[in-house]
Amino acid sequence: MSTKNANFRVLLQDLKISFKFAVKNLVSFVLGMIGVLIVTGLLIALLALFVLVPFLLLGGLTGITDLILTWVRTTQSLQGAAAFLMTLLLVTPLIAPLMVAIGALYGMGREIVESEGTTAEGIFAWYSKKFFSLAAVGMIQFLVVIVPLAVTTILLGPLSFGLEQTGWASATIATYSIYATFMSGLMSLAFPAVIDGNSILSSIKISVRLSTRYFDRVFSTWLSYLGIGTLLSFPLLAWPLAVPLSSSQVGMWTTIIAAYSIIAVLFTFFVLLPATVIGMSRIYMILISDNLSGSSEFFTESFDDDDVSIIGGD
Amino acid sequence: MTPKKRVSMKEIEVVSDPKVIKLMMEPTRAAIIKLLSATEMTVKQLATELGKNPGTILHHIEKLKKVNLVVEVRTQQTPTGIVQRYYRARAREFRLGIKQMMETEGGVAKFAEDRLNSIVRSLAVFGIEIPESQLVEATDMLRNLIERENDLISDMPILDQKAYDRLSKQDRTDASRILRRYLLNRDPMYVELRRSWHELLRRFDRGVKL
């Protein structure tokens, strides 16, 4: 078996290394993520301003109110897919800065994978230098994962999500979850490919090519991170079913769950997300290499120390 | 994409693209090229050597890779879990095309001009004092000589690249020097340019000792 393929030991090693580096670079990641979230928030606000200011100048506050009301009325009057697409039209440009923020994290991940360390300010260099590529790749991923939901809405119509149709709804949600997991796995190496200097389309192609060729390695790791995330959220979803509302211990459980929620959210954002970023960047680096060697196979091209020449000049 | 096959290292490369020249003149990138011309190194090693963040080095490496000045050699997994790439320069020596430098904007032309003037003036320490009135003629002659030399040696013919790559550094360097001299001396244009240059030097020779 190739060193690029997966087995249980390799998977454990991949996860262990990614979490080790995520914890080791916790401060850089926390500071970097906070900084980049502020920039993202400002950018989204700026984008919104670009839309709102012309209306404010043309029609004043009434102009904006009319715009919002028209939007709401139009969306309400539209059915299923059309309403969904209208919302998508509004949401997609606003998603772009957020996608760049996530993509820029992969820049930090790459620095860690190649050199063990990173700096909080490093994320801003990736954010600005790769802005358009990361935004485009992020939007493609977003659309590929989200658009089928629109298609499902068209095919099944609003009734599929009605109470009478719970069977249909469950089947649709299950099918969509499998699809979304599969597609996100296929594209899980797109951001590392962008960071590696590839173009938008090449990055998508590389990600799909590597994920299919090394399906076991990419998907076992990707599913592990998703699985850890799901396990973390499980107590939050399960506790209302486990503790009856009439129970006298509801108050105590609420406190426990609230405390757990805070810990789970912090862990997800500041450890699990960086570990995922580091893990997928590392797997990309391993899978893309043509000339991979382990430390035991270490060799250096012979550059002679003895730099003695008997022919002078040029 | 990662290169699919090992790229041979050239002995000398004359950089003629003004954009690449400008790129190479940034101090950190120039230092990276110098280090990678001597040996293959990782981002971490370069960062340590140059006292810069690995991220900064990575951005510079990416730019140098794009213009084919630097190539990836291999990838190595270490016991700590990091996956490091080894990079090296495309050639053992880079020369900036003087003609193209003169045509480049953004201070590069001025740099090249100042450099030529400085070289000509420096000859005074050896006893060749070129007067200010002759400075333009002297720098023009030197420039033409360098340009012709670069044209001739930038593409040295190598019959067996694999055998060449297997040579020891000393053998490679010495053999290359012999070949360079041979190529220059068999070119009539270069010989004439050199004769004129030496004639000028002789005119202002105030006591170069043998």
Side-chain angles (χ1 to χ4, degrees):
Chain A
M1 198 196 302
S2 149
T3 50
K4 294 180 178 182
N5 288 106
N7 58 42
F8 190 63
R9 196 181 60 82
V10 169
L11 174 64
L12 277 184
Q13 187 73 1
D14 285 344
L15 294 175
K16 200 177 123 190
I17 289 167
S18 66
F19 277 99
K20 183 183 82 178
F21 283 135
V23 171
K24 205 174 161 187
N25 291 280
L26 185 74
V27 178
S28 300
F29 264 110
V30 171
L31 294 175
M33 283 166 83
I34 290 171
V36 95
L37 277 177
I38 292 171
V39 174
T40 306
L42 289 173
L43 259 178
I44 293 175
L46 203 70
L47 269 172
L49 272 181
F50 266 111
V51 178
L52 293 179
V53 164
F55 283 97
L56 194 69
L57 290 175
L58 289 172
L61 272 176
T62 359
I64 294 177
T65 320
D66 287 348
L67 174 76
I68 295 167
L69 285 173
T70 313
W71 176 271
V72 172
R73 262 186 247 118
T74 315
T75 316
Q76 278 176 344
S77 66
L78 291 169
Q79 290 295 305
F84 186 86
L85 287 174
M86 279 286 279
T87 314
L88 207 63
L89 198 72
L90 179 79
V91 169
T92 309
L94 297 176
I95 288 286
L98 197 67
M99 287 295 170
V100 182
I102 296 168
L105 281 177
Y106 279 86
M108 291 180 88
R110 170 66 184 272
E111 289 174 22
I112 292 168
V113 171
E114 273 211 84
S115 64
E116 281 187 56
T118 186
T119 53
E121 64 267 26
I123 195 168
F124 295 104
W126 295 107
Y127 194 93
S128 58
K129 283 180 181 165
K130 300 277 181 190
F131 187 90
F132 291 106
S133 311
L134 291 174
V137 166
M139 304 254 274
I140 292 170
Q141 291 185 68
F142 176 73
L143 290 173
V144 165
V145 175
I146 293 295
V147 162
L149 203 57
V151 177
T152 316
T153 319
I154 298 166
L155 293 176
L156 300 175
L159 268 181
S160 352
F161 298 101
L163 286 171
E164 312 83 13
Q165 303 279 332
T166 44
W168 267 107
S170 305
T172 310
I173 290 167
T175 312
Y176 176 73
S177 301
I178 293 167
Y179 168 84
T181 308
F182 179 70
M183 290 312 286
S184 58
L186 272 188
M187 295 204 185
S188 59
L189 302 178
F191 278 137
V194 170
I195 295 297
D196 200 21
N198 293 288
S199 67
I200 299 159
L201 280 179
S202 292
S203 300
I204 301 283
K205 279 185 197 164
I206 289 169
S207 182
V208 173
R209 181 169 57 82
L210 292 177
S211 317
T212 44
R213 188 182 294 173
Y214 304 104
F215 188 85
D216 52 348
R217 184 77 178 262
V218 176
F219 275 86
S220 62
T221 318
W222 181 244
L223 289 175
S224 299
Y225 292 123
L226 289 184
I228 294 168
T230 312
L231 278 178
L232 277 172
S233 58
F234 188 72
L236 300 175
L237 303 170
W239 86 274
L241 302 171
V243 183
L245 281 175
S246 55
S247 166
S248 57
Q249 293 175 321
V250 163
M252 186 192 77
W253 275 105
T254 311
T255 316
I256 292 170
I257 288 296
Y260 174 80
S261 306
I262 294 167
I263 295 166
V265 166
L266 288 176
F267 182 82
T268 303
F269 274 96
F270 298 126
V271 180
L272 180 60
L273 182 58
T276 309
V277 161
I278 294 166
M280 297 320 289
S281 298
R282 188 171 167 275
I283 283 175
Y284 169 84
M285 292 279 285
I286 291 169
L287 300 184
I288 198 74
S289 67
D290 289 323
N291 200 355
L292 183 70
S293 65
S295 55
S296 56
E297 303 157 61
F298 183 85
F299 77 99
T300 304
E301 190 177 314
S302 65
F303 287 98
D304 319 65
D305 291 331
D306 186 14
D307 193 13
V308 180
S309 234
I310 55 171
I311 308 289
D314 247 350
Chain B
M1 279 290 294
T2 307
K4 292 285 165 208
K5 58 181 179 186
R6 197 174 176 87
V7 185
S8 290
M9 197 173 189
K10 289 171 81 177
E11 193 60 33
I12 188 162
E13 175 140 338
V14 179
V15 182
S16 54
D17 185 341
K19 279 184 189 164
V20 181
I21 291 174
K22 221 169 161 184
L23 197 92
M24 285 177 80
M25 293 198 65
E26 198 280 330
T28 308
R29 284 197 279 271
I32 291 172
I33 291 169
K34 195 177 172 191
L35 288 167
L36 295 182
S37 295
T39 187
E40 53 186 51
M41 292 175 91
T42 65
V43 164
K44 194 182 179 187
Q45 289 169 335
L46 285 165
T48 310
E49 189 72 32
L50 300 172
K52 301 268 180 190
N53 289 331
T56 309
I57 300 293
L58 210 47
H59 289 296
H60 285 307
I61 287 280
E62 196 190 319
K63 283 187 177 158
L64 294 170
K65 263 170 65 185
K66 266 191 181 149
V67 293
N68 208 22
L69 290 172
V70 159
V71 290
E72 288 167 33
V73 184
R74 63 194 167 93
T75 307
Q76 186 203 28
Q77 283 189 73
T78 70
T80 56
I82 65 170
V83 182
Q84 49 191 12
R85 279 180 181 167
Y86 279 81
Y87 302 93
R88 69 162 166 72
R90 187 83 169 75
R92 288 185 176 81
E93 186 187 335
F94 288 98
R95 284 195 190 178
L96 302 181
I98 196 93
K99 185 179 162 193
Q100 289 78 15
M101 281 177 85
M102 291 296 212
E103 290 163 2
T104 308
E105 289 167 3
V108 179
K110 174 90 171 59
F111 170 84
E113 201 180 326
D114 289 349
R115 189 85 177 78
L116 282 173
N117 282 331
S118 170
I119 294 168
V120 171
R121 285 198 179 98
S122 304
L123 293 171
V125 300
F126 301 106
I128 298 173
E129 285 180 45
I130 296 172
E132 287 295 315
S133 59
Q134 300 293 314
L135 208 59
V136 175
E137 186 195 352
T139 50
D140 278 351
M141 286 176 85
L142 182 61
R143 179 186 151 178
N144 290 334
L145 190 72
I146 295 170
E147 270 176 34
R148 186 63 193 159
E149 188 179 322
N150 285 345
D151 286 347
L152 290 168
I153 63 169
S154 62
D155 208 11
M156 282 204 295
I158 296 167
L159 287 183
D160 188 344
Q161 187 67 51
K162 280 184 184 168
Y164 175 81
D165 289 339
R166 281 198 302 270
L167 291 174
S168 72
K169 188 187 174 189
Q170 294 96 324
D171 287 349
R172 204 165 39 214
T173 308
D174 288 342
S176 298
R177 281 176 179 165
I178 289 170
L179 191 81
R180 272 187 223 174
R181 285 180 190 174
Y182 172 69
L183 285 176
L184 296 174
N185 284 323
R186 78 171 190 182
D187 179 64
M189 189 177 167
Y190 178 80
V191 172
E192 179 53 28
L193 285 168
R194 194 177 56 191
R195 194 198 58 74
S196 308
W197 169 245
H198 285 172
E199 184 54 42
L200 180 107
L201 296 185
R202 257 194 300 278
R203 268 164 56 201
F204 300 105
D205 183 348
R206 299 286 176 264
V208 175
K209 304 282 184 239
L210 272 177

